[in-house]
Structures are given as C-alpha cells and as structure tokens.
Amino acid sequence: DIQMTQSPSSLSASVGDRVTISCRASQSISRYLTWYQQKPGEAPKVLIYAASSLHSGVPSRFAGRGYGTDFTLTISSLQPEDFATYYCQQSYSSVITFGQGTRLEIK
Amino acid sequence: EEQLVESGGDLAQPGGSLRLSCAASGFSFSEYWMHWVRQVPGKGMLWVSRINSDGSSSSYADAVRGRFTISRDNAKNTLYLQMNSLTVDDTAVYYCARDDRGADDALDVWGQGAMVTVSS
C-alpha cells in the first residue's frame, strides 16, 4: 500500500498566520491527492482535490501544491474556524490511504 | 441537498456480525462509486472498502478482506456494509462517502458516521 506521511503532526499558530502542512507519498501518486479538514465530532470535508483544485465553497485562503510524491496545503491567513485536523489522502491506488493527520491548534 | 445518512451502528460481541446502511438522497446515487471509511475516535482514518456504481466491482482493505462485504441497492439508494467475525480492533466510527470521479476520486460527500463498538 502507498504510505502517506504528513508533517508536522501538530502545529500551534495564531489567527492571521500563514501555515503550511506537508504530505509525502511513498511512491508517485501523480496529482491524485485530496486534502480534508475535520473538526471534532464532524465528518471530514474536502478542501482541495487533484492536488491543487479548490473544492466548491472553500475559501481562497486554502491552497494546495505538488505532484508526484510531495504535496503541501497552505492556509494564507488563519481564521478562527480553521483550527481543526487536516488529512491528506491518495486515490492513485485502488487501496486508498490517508495521512495520519495534522492537528492545528490555537497558540 | 446531497446527503448520506448511516444507520446500524451498535454494540457487538467479538465474533459477531453487524450490517451498516447508508441512505443517499439529493443526488443520483446509481451514478457514483461509494466508499466506507472508519475512524477510531481521536485517531486517524482508515479506508475500508469501495464499490463501483453498478455494484459489479469492489475492493477492500487487508484488515477487513474476507470478513466485510460491501454492497448496494440502487433502487433503494442505499449502500451497505456487512461486517462478520468482528474483533475489538473493528471498533470505530464508520463513515460512508461518495466518490467524485470527476475530481480525481475525492470523497466529496460524507455521512455523519455510525459508531460500532465491539466488546464482550
């Protein structure tokens, strides 16, 4: 199975900060990379699909980049509602795999 | 509104069985591949299984292959997960999710989750 490794596992930041989360695949996954946001007690929500395409309704402060094995999710100016856990997920393989998650906390 | 609603989550004994259902509404269910994903509360997500739009093809994670069966009834707009030979490691919240093949298979609609607890 393709392993997805996120870094960091947790991150403390302040409202207005710019933050970047990384995701690395154990083999090339082309652009088959999705980013999700999950808040406690809720299901995940798509932020970015196909590595860099913004999902409908998602604010433009979220941006995704990357191709092959290395990907990033950047939030340009953190808002209070952005404090959550973020997951990357590959769909290149028929066996879908997720990163372990990055918990974004308020500093 | 596009919606998925899971049901069937419960307490089961090790070695027992449960069947989860996922009712879809607000979209053309028969056109979409569907997935089950599980999450131990406070932990990460594990993909469980996938089924194609007409139910003719499916795949499973190694952890559940041979014990779990995914199926669907397009006439009833419902997805199922039959879980047999349950172990304590199957304890988790189970989500059904829609696969947007036009978005490189992003899982774009999720249910609220069904809690499955396996314990004696």
Side-chain angles (χ1 to χ4, degrees):
Chain A
D1 296 351
I2 298 174
Q3 304 301 314
M4 305 300 293
T5 303
Q6 287 181 235
S7 61
S9 296
S10 64
L11 177 61
S12 294
S14 301
V15 172
D17 284 354
R18 176 185 181 93
V19 300
T20 296
I21 299 168
S22 297
C23 178
R24 174 167 289 179
S26 60
Q27 67 182 73
S28 177
I29 59 170
S30 182
R31 67 174 190 180
Y32 289 87
L33 193 285
T34 303
W35 288 98
Y36 299 88
Q37 178 193 68
Q38 187 180 34
K39 296 180 179 179
E42 298 183 3
K45 296 178 180 177
V46 175
L47 298 173
I48 302 288
Y49 66 93
S52 60
S53 296
L54 196 65
H55 188 65
S56 175
V58 174
S60 59
R61 64 181 179 271
F62 291 92
R65 296 187 63 182
Y67 185 90
T69 61
D70 292 302
F71 302 86
T72 59
L73 172 70
T74 298
I75 310 172
S76 60
S77 178
L78 276 172
Q79 299 302 301
E81 61 268 28
D82 299 338
F83 292 94
T85 300
Y86 294 84
Y87 294 93
C88 62
Q89 171 241 310
Q90 67 80 20
S91 51
Y92 179 84
S93 165
S94 60
V95 176
I96 287 173
T97 47
F98 292 84
Q100 80 279 15
T102 295
R103 184 175 179 181
L104 180 54
E105 301 174 318
I106 300 174
K107 184 182 288 184
Chain B
E1 180 190 4
E2 298 171 331
Q3 193 172 11
L4 297 170
V5 178
E6 298 98 339
S7 60
D10 205 345
L11 172 66
Q13 291 198 337
S17 298
L18 280 177
R19 188 176 82 156
L20 301 181
S21 299
C22 169
S25 60
F27 65 96
S28 184
F29 177 73
S30 64
E31 296 180 2
Y32 288 87
W33 292 27
M34 297 294 296
H35 298 255
W36 288 99
V37 176
R38 72 186 187 188
Q39 184 175 36
V40 175
K43 302 295 184 182
M45 288 185 284
L46 177 71
W47 173 81
V48 172
S49 183
R50 168 199 61 80
I51 191 167
N52 69 347
S53 56
D54 67 6
S56 62
S57 173
S58 60
S59 59
Y60 298 90
D62 287 346
V64 306
R65 187 176 295 113
R67 301 188 298 121
F68 289 12
T69 303
I70 191 172
S71 63
R72 64 192 297 161
D73 185 336
N74 286 343
K76 294 183 177 180
N77 292 332
T78 303
L79 175 72
Y80 301 101
L81 185 67
Q82 177 67 44
M83 304 184 292
N84 298 331
S85 302
L86 286 163
T87 74
V88 295
D89 291 336
D90 295 319
T91 295
V93 175
Y94 285 74
Y95 295 99
C96 59
R98 187 180 80 172
D99 184 325
D100 185 351
R101 305 219 78 200
D104 287 1
D105 295 306
L107 305 184
D108 68 335
V109 179
W110 294 64
Q112 84 286 356
M115 184 70 211
V116 171
T117 303
V118 183
S119 174
S120 55

